[in-house]
DNA sequence: AATGAATGAGTGTTCATTCAT
DNA sequence: GATGAATGAACACTCATTCAT
C-alpha cells in the first residue's frame, strides 16, 4: 500500500512536470523534488525517464480507449446517436478533468523518437479505425451518406482532437461540455451549408 | 551566390535531420555532417541550433500563410467555393511537396518550450481566425447555416491538420490531392447524414 | 567529513593548477585529473570554473585580512612597532607557507575581467586604507613625520607586495622572514640616506 | 609608408583592446574591427595574437628602459639626486601619457604563460638590478646608509610600481607628477619616523 | 526499501588561424 | 597586398543513471 502510494506520488509529480515543460525540459531532479523523494528511489519504481513517460502515456491511452464504446444496434442498445454522444462526452470529460494528461498527449508526446511516434500513430490509427468501422456501419444502414470512410475518419478524428486541445486550454468547467458536443455533431452530421439555400448555388 | 548556396545546403541538411529525429535528437554534428561542412561554418550562417530551427519554422509558416488567400465576394472574384478549394489545394500541395517540413511543423515543433509553443499556438489561432471570419461572412450571406463560428473554426482546422498529417505520410503523388479536397468539402458542407433519410430518424 | 575532504581535494588540485598555469590555461579536465574525480563531481562542489577561482581568491583575501590587526595604543597593547612587525610577520608567513596561493593572487588574479579586477582593487585599497589610518595616527602621535598619507600608503603597500613576490619565489624557509621584515622597517622608518651625512649634501 | 601606417593602426587598435579587456577577453575580431581591416590582413602584419601582445609589451619595455639612465658621478653630471628625479619624472610621464600601455603592463601582462612571465620577471629583475647598482654605489659613496641592497631594490621597485598604478588610474594631468616624486624621494631617503623624536622611542 | 554522492558520455559553442580568390 | 569564408581543435557544462552504504 505504501509502495503504491510512493509510485503514485512520483507519477503525479512527473505528470505535472511533463505537462508544464515537456519531456526534454523535465529533468529527473525536477520530478524527484516535486515528489519529495531521493534520486535513487526514483529508479526503484521506474526503469528510467523514458519509461515513466511511456507509462503515463500508456495509462492515458488505456483510459481513452475505455471511453470509446463500440456503437452497436440492437433492441437493448440506445439510439446510435446517443451512443456517439456518450462516447464524446466521456472523452471530453476525461480530458477536461485531466488537463495535464491532455497536454502531455497532445503537445509533448509527438516527436520524441521513432518508437514513441509509432505508438502514438498506432493509437490514433486505432481510433480512426473505430470511427471508420462506425462510418461503414452507418453507410450500410443508410444512416450515413456515401463517403470515403478512411479519409472521413481522419477528418472526424482531427476535428475532435483540435477541439479537445482548444477546450482543455480554455474550459475549466466540465458542465460546458454538452453544447460543444452538440456543435460537433451538428457539424459532422449536417455540415455547414445553409439548408434553405438552393443547392445549385453552392455547387 | 556561393554564400546563398551554402546557407541553403545547411538548411536542407537541418530540415532533413530535424524531420527525421526532431529537435533534441538532432545534434549539430549530424547537421554539419549531412551538409558536409565544418563545425565553425555552421555558426557563420546561423546563430545557434535553436535559431536555425526557428528559422525553418518561420519560413514554413510564411509559406503557409501565403497559400491562404482571403475569400472575397465580387464580380471579378471566383465562386467562393472555388476560392476555398484553391486555398486547400495550395496548402495540400505545399505539404505534399515538402513532407519534411510538414513533419517538423506537425510532429516536432510543438512542445519545444514556452516561446516556441506560443508561436505555434499563435499561428494556428491565426488560421482559426481566418476560418472564423470566412464562416461569419458565409453566415451573413446565408450561404452557411447558423453555428458557433469559433468552435467550428477549430473543428475545420483540426480536420484539415489531421488529414494533412495522414496525407503526407501516405501520399507521394500530388495528383491525388483533388479527390481528398472534395472529400473535405463534402464533409464540411453537407455533413455525413444520409440526405435521403427522414430527419426524424437522426434527431 | 568525507564530503569536506573531497571539496578540499578539488580545491587543492585547482589551487595547484591555477598557480601553475593561471585561470585561462587551466582546464576543468586538468583540475579533475589532479583531483582524481569525475567531471560531474566537480560540479557537485563548485558551480563553475569561475566560481572555484573566486572562492580560492576570496578565501585568501580573508586569510590575509586576518593577518592584519589594527595597530592600537594602550597600556595592554604592545609597542606599536612590535604590532607592526607582528602584522608583517603573519603576512609573510602566510605567503611563504602558501606559495601557490600567493602566485594566484599576485600573478593570476589581476586582469581576469572587470568584476574580478574590481574585487582585487578593492582588496588592495582596503589595505591601503588601513595603512593610511595607521600613518595618520602615527602623525598625530608625532611618531611619524608629516607626509601625504594616501600616497605613502601606496608606497608602503607596493614595497611589501613586491617583496612578497620576490620572497615567495626565492625563499623556501620561513625562518628567514625576520631579517627581511627588519629590512622593510628600516627602509620605511629611516629611509636610505646615510644619517652621518650632512643634510645639505642630499637636498 | 602605407604599410607602416597599417601596422600602426593595428597596433593602436590592439593596445586599446588589450588595455580594456586584457589578453584573453580580446578577440582578433575586436582588434580588426577597431582597426578597420580584414581578418587575413591582421596576419600579414603579425604572426598571431600572442605575438602582437608580446610586441606591444616589448616596445613598452624598451621605452621604459630608455627612461632609466644610469646614475653617474662626475663633474659634467648633475647632482645624483637630480639624476634620480629625472629618471622618475621620465618614467611617470611615460606612464601617465600612455595609460593604456600602463594598464597592459601592470594588469594584463602577468600570468599569461611561462614564457611571458619569465620575460616580465626578467624585465623587473633588470630594473631591480639597476636600482641595486645605484644603491651599492650610494653606499660606497656613503650617501646611503648600509642596507641589504637586493631586498631594498625590490622595496623601491614595488613602491614605484604601486604608485604608478595608482597614479595612472587617478591622475589625468601630468603636471601633478612633481609632488608625487618628491613624496617618493622623501619616503625613500628619510623614511617616515619623525626626526624630532627621540630615537629611543622607536627602537 | 531508501539514499544521494559519484559518474562520464554527450553537446553546443567559440575563436585563433588558414588559404583560395 | 588584401580579403573573409572556412576550418576544427578545444572547452565548459549537463544530466540520466549507478551503486555503495
Amino acid at each position: 500500500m505504501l509502495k503504491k502510494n510512493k509510485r503514485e506520488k512520483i507519477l503525479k509529480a512527473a505528470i505535472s512536470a511533463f505537462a508544464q515543460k515537456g519531456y526534454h525540459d523535465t529533468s529527473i531532479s525536477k520530478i524527484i523534488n516535486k515528489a519529495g523523494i531521493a534520486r535513487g528511489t526514483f529508479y526503484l519504481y521506474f526503469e528510467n525517464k523514458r519509461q515513466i513517460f511511456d507509462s503515463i502515456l500508456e495509462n492515458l491511452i488505456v483510459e481513452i480507449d475505455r471511453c470509446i464504446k463500440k456503437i452497436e444496434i440492437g433492441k437493448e442498445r440506445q439510439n446510435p446517436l446517443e451512443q456517439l454522444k456518450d462516447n464524446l462526452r466521456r472523452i471530453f470529460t476525461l480530458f477536461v478533468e485531466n488537463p495535464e494528461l491532455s497536454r502531455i498527449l497532445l503537445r509533448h508526446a509527438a516527436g520524441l523518437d521513432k518508437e514513441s511516434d509509432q505508438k502514438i500513430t498506432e493509437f490514433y490509427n486505432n481510433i480512426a479505425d473505430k470511427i471508420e468501422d462506425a462510418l461503414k456501419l452507418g453507410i450500410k444502414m443508410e444512416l450515413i451518406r456515401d463517403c470515403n470512410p478512411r479519409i472521413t475518419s481522419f477528418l472526424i478524428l482531427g476535428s475532435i482532437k483540435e477541439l479537445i486541445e482548444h477546450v482543455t486550454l480554455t474550459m475549466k468547467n466540465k458542465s460546458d461540455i454538452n453544447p460543444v458536443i452538440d456543435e460537433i455533431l451538428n457539424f459532422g452530421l449536417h455540415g455547414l451549408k445553409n439548408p434553405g439555400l438552393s443547392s445549385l448555388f453552392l455547387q
Side-chain angles (χ1 to χ4, degrees), chain A:
Chain A
M1 187 55 169
L2 264 176
K3 188 169 175 188
K4 195 121 198 181
N5 274 347
K6 190 160 280 190
R7 203 186 129 94
E8 290 305 319
K9 207 161 63 172
I10 300 173
L11 269 175
K12 224 173 126 178
I15 288 170
S16 154
F18 285 136
Q20 270 178 60
K21 297 277 196 172
Y23 181 78
H24 285 287
D25 283 0
T26 294
S27 62
I28 298 291
S29 296
K30 197 114 186 190
I31 295 173
I32 63 177
N33 283 344
K34 282 205 182 208
I37 56 158
R39 211 164 192 70
T41 309
F42 176 89
Y43 289 90
L44 292 177
Y45 292 89
F46 298 93
E47 280 173 45
N48 52 40
K49 185 182 171 186
R50 186 50 193 278
Q51 191 243 319
I52 194 178
F53 188 84
D54 285 347
S55 165
I56 289 168
L57 216 57
E58 187 57 34
N59 250 23
L60 179 58
I61 287 177
V62 169
E63 292 277 342
I64 294 173
D65 268 332
R66 222 178 270 157
C67 290
I68 306 173
K69 306 233 191 277
K70 200 169 173 0
I71 291 174
E72 282 174 339
I73 317 289
K75 277 187 197 159
E76 293 94 30
R77 303 292 311 245
Q78 267 190 309
N79 178 336
L81 197 62
E82 219 41 58
Q83 292 179 48
L84 180 56
K85 274 191 182 181
D86 281 345
N87 277 343
L88 288 172
R89 219 177 276 130
R90 278 188 294 267
I91 290 176
F92 271 80
T93 305
L94 176 66
F95 278 110
V96 169
E97 286 182 341
N98 298 280
E100 290 182 329
L101 289 174
S102 318
R103 226 179 145 59
I104 292 174
L105 177 64
L106 296 167
R107 280 234 109 101
H108 301 303
L112 268 197
D113 65 16
K114 287 267 140 83
E115 202 187 339
S116 177
D117 267 23
Q118 176 148 15
K119 196 191 288 183
I120 302 289
T121 303
E122 199 179 297
F123 164 65
Y124 283 132
N125 281 342
N126 219 304
I127 297 184
D129 287 345
K130 289 182 180 171
I131 298 175
E132 195 180 348
D133 286 345
L135 286 175
K136 282 176 179 167
L137 178 66
I139 293 170
K140 197 162 138 198
M141 292 181 65
E142 299 188 321
L143 295 170
I144 286 177
R145 69 166 169 79
D146 195 38
C147 67
N148 179 325
R150 189 81 202 135
I151 291 180
T152 308
S153 68
F154 282 105
L155 291 171
I156 295 172
L157 174 60
S159 59
I160 293 173
K161 273 171 69 179
E162 192 73 23
L163 200 51
I164 285 173
E165 190 158 4
H166 178 64
V167 153
T168 50
L169 285 176
T170 58
M171 184 187 294
K172 304 291 161 212
N173 192 334
K174 70 172 176 158
S175 66
D176 302 327
I177 288 175
N178 281 324
V180 168
I181 288 172
D182 287 338
E183 202 72 33
I184 297 179
L185 287 177
N186 273 330
F187 175 70
L189 289 176
H190 309 110
L192 294 169
K193 75 148 199 310
N194 184 350
L197 199 67
S198 156
S199 64
L200 291 173
F201 200 81
L202 262 178
Q203 204 58 265

